[in-house]
Each structure stands twice: as structure tokens, then as C-alpha cells.
Amino acid sequence: MSSCGCQSKDASASTKIVIETMNVLADQIKETANAVSENDISEMLAILLAAKEKGNAVFIAGAGRSGLMGRAFAMRLMHMGFNAYVVGDTVTPAVSSGDVLVAISGSGNTKSVVEIGKKCKSIGASVIAVTSKDGSDLKALPATNVILPAKSKDDASESTVSKTPMGTSFEILALVFLDSVIMQLIDLTGVTEDEMKARHANTE
Ligand SMILES: O=C([C@H](O)CO)[C@H](O)[C@H](O)COP(=O)(O)O
């Protein structure tokens, strides 16, 4: 132990562990990618494409790190010309019937996200739930469910610290999955990178 109470490891061992961990994460992404249902993905793509065509809004909800991954997705949707909003932002408008909610929650049981899902459903919006849990509250909503079978914060163990604490595995997978959806939407709509770049904030 060092004076800070941390376990000391030599610099080169630590460096190797960081590289190994990146490989562990890359392997997890590959394994999960092959386990995601093609039907669910195809339904999600169809709902999003229909929203763009009809000019319906796409709202993104998620708490904490799952919400951050959702923000990255919302930004790319906006670059593509979708009316995309993040639930809870000051300038986010009202949800209307026909709009779409993409709810992201690894545990599927985060109360705020489940309540937003219920509210959007009661308004007549379509709900797409991106979660890791097959029997969660979010999954119980009448929604299109995309299950990313990865460790979420509810799978955290009291006795062990895994390489991916709490919901890290799910959150990274959610980002890779959502960016992969964007890449396919780009392909299907033919939007160009120049068009996307023109919509990017010019006040940064
Ligand atoms: O921020 C998070 C936490 O650090 C777990 O890794 C989660 O993303 C947040 O708590 C929301 O959880 P889920 O709804 O289960 O994704």
C-alpha cells in the first residue's frame, strides 16, 4: 500500500492493465453485438425513419451515464435533420401523439426513466426501450425493446470490483449500439456528412 492507501503497482504493469481492459471492453462489444435481436433493431430503425419522414419529434431519456450516451445519440439525430430533444432540457418542448421516446436504462428500473416512458405512452408516443434487462419495469411498458445483454448497475456485486464497475459495460455498449444505429440511418436516408456538419453548432 502507498501512503494514500492505494495499492501500488509499477507504471508498466498499470499501463498493461489499461490496455488489457480496453481489449476486454472490445470483446464485450463484439459478444453483445451478436446477441442483439435483429427484429428489434429493424423495428427501431423503422420507427425512427417514420418519425423523420412525418416530422415527428424523437425524445431521448436516460439518467446519469446512460443519459449521457443518450445525449450523444440525440446530437447525431439532430445532425441528420431529426427533430431530436433530450427530456428534461430547458428548451425541450411537449411530447405529442406520434412522437417517439428512446428510453435508455441498463437496469430498466430507474424510476424517472420508467415514469417518462409511462407518460409518453399515455400521450400516444411510441416508446423504444434500450435496456439490458428482460424483466424490468421499462421492459414491461408496451414498447419496442432492444436488449443489450450487458452488466448493469443492478448486477454490481458487494464483494468484487469488476473491470467494469456498476453499469459501465451497458453504458459503453449503449453508445456503440446507438452510434451503429446512426450509421445505418445515414445509409438509409442518404444524408451526407457535409449536411450533418452544416447543422453542427457554429457557436462552439
Ligand atoms: O450513471 C449511472 C451509474 O453510474 C451506473 O453506472 C447510470 O447510468 C444511472 O444511474 C442510470 O442507471 P440505469 O438507468 O440503470 O442505466
Side-chain angles (χ1 to χ4, degrees):
M1 290 273 190
S2 66
S3 56
C4 69
C6 324
Q7 289 193 348
S8 60
K9 282 193 172 112
D10 68 64
S12 117
S14 288
T15 308
K16 283 198 175 81
I17 290 168
V18 170
I19 293 168
E20 261 171 40
T21 304
M22 287 166 71
N23 280 297
V24 167
L25 294 174
D27 288 345
Q28 280 184 4
I29 291 165
K30 278 188 196 159
E31 269 171 43
T32 313
N34 294 323
V36 182
S37 148
E38 287 185 27
N39 275 349
D40 295 347
I41 296 172
S42 138
E43 220 174 302
M44 178 171 181
L45 290 170
I47 292 171
L48 291 173
L49 284 171
K52 184 163 195 293
E53 218 172 276
K54 295 177 191 158
N56 289 324
V58 179
F59 293 84
I60 313 294
R65 285 169 51 104
S66 295
L68 292 174
M69 307 308 160
R71 280 181 180 278
F73 183 54
M75 182 193 248
R76 285 285 182 263
L77 289 175
M78 175 278 289
H79 287 151
M80 290 190 67
F82 282 79
N83 298 322
Y85 302 98
V86 175
V87 175
D89 276 2
T90 314
V91 294
T92 294
V95 176
S96 303
S97 174
D99 288 342
V100 176
L101 172 78
V102 180
I104 306 157
S105 171
S107 63
N109 290 325
T110 299
K111 275 206 166 57
S112 56
V113 182
V114 175
E115 289 308 314
I116 291 164
K118 285 183 189 162
K119 172 91 188 193
C120 289
K121 205 68 225 175
S122 74
I123 292 166
S126 303
V127 177
I128 300 172
V130 179
T131 181
S132 76
K133 287 279 174 278
D134 227 346
S136 62
D137 292 349
L138 196 58
K139 172 97 186 344
L141 286 176
T144 293
N145 294 285
V146 179
I147 305 288
L148 304 179
K151 178 173 175 280
S152 80
K153 69 178 181 196
D154 281 0
D155 305 317
S157 149
E158 277 178 21
S159 54
T160 59
V161 180
S162 91
K163 274 194 194 299
T164 55
M166 301 166 72
T168 293
S169 288
F170 171 80
E171 291 137 19
I172 291 172
L173 282 160
L175 181 66
V176 172
F177 167 69
L178 294 169
D179 263 339
S180 304
V181 166
I182 290 293
M183 285 168 210
Q184 187 52 18
L185 289 173
I186 289 172
D187 209 44
L188 293 168
T189 57
V191 66
T192 67
E193 204 162 334
D194 276 351
E195 288 168 332
M196 292 178 72
K197 209 173 161 199
R199 292 190 186 99
H200 185 64
N202 54 5
T203 43
E204 282 181 340

